[in-house]
Structure formats: C-alpha cells, structure tokens
Amino acid sequence: MNPVFKNTLAVIIGLFVGSVANMSIILMSSSVIPAPHGADVTTIEGLKATMHLFEPKHFIFPFVAHALGTFAGAAVTALIAANNKMRLALAIGAFFLLGGIVNVCTLPSPIWYNVIDLLFAYLPMAYLGKKLVTSEE
C-alpha cells in the first residue's frame, strides 16, 4: 500500500478511535460521578452556567477522557502508519490539544484543571501511546 495513503488512513482512523474513546468515557462518567445537583451538562450553555457548582472530583473523568482518547488515537495511528510513526502520533496529540485549547477558551473551568489538562493529557499521552505500541523510530 502507498505509504502516504497508509499514513493518511492511519491519522483518520486514529482521530476516529481517539474521539470514540473520549466520548465513551465522558458519557459513562456521570454514572460514576454524578453531575452536581442542578447542573445542566447537556449543552455548552448549561455547562457555562453551572460550572461553578463543580468540585474537583467532577474534573477527573474529563481529564481521563482527554488523556485516554489521545493515547488510544496516537497508539492506533502508530500501529497503522507506514513510517513517521512518532510524528503522526504527535500530530494526533496536537489535534486533541487544539480541541483542549478550544475547550479551555469556551468553558470557565478552574485554572488548575486547565493547566493540568493542557500539559499532561495530550502531547505526553500521544508520545506514550506511540512508545508503548511500537519500538520503531
């Protein structure tokens, strides 16, 4: 298979897998740690209006979702890619980091959470995802 095509397919599949993993964790999070009483978590506007009700425990699953989604997407990309596995895995991390930056700019999350999320959930997890699934490059 053409390496450019294979790498493009690897990135598309990695983005899909990472997004599905992220959303799966987010969707199941409320069954483990329920949203605060009166919080509307179904819309961005609802989240903005009720974010002040959230306690530190409510930020555990969003962080885990961002980290594991990025990890899964980068790992799958590294497994499928023909070459440049680290670059492509980090590209997945950068894509999800961009989403995290948009999230930080959109939602009034606490500063401590924003720093932890942006520094540890994206590029480090993409790097780790690639390193754990392949020893190449």
Side-chain angles (χ1 to χ4, degrees), residues 5-24:
F5 178 73
K6 189 171 183 180
N7 288 346
T8 302
L9 190 62
V11 169
I12 291 168
I13 293 171
L15 289 172
F16 178 77
V17 167
S19 297
V20 168
N22 184 332
M23 283 311 299
S24 297

Side-chain angles (χ1 to χ4, degrees), residues 87-106:
R87 283 187 182 154
L88 295 175
L90 290 175
I92 297 295
F95 179 84
F96 283 108
L97 174 61
L98 180 61
I101 291 169
V102 169
N103 195 30
V104 163
C105 294
T106 304

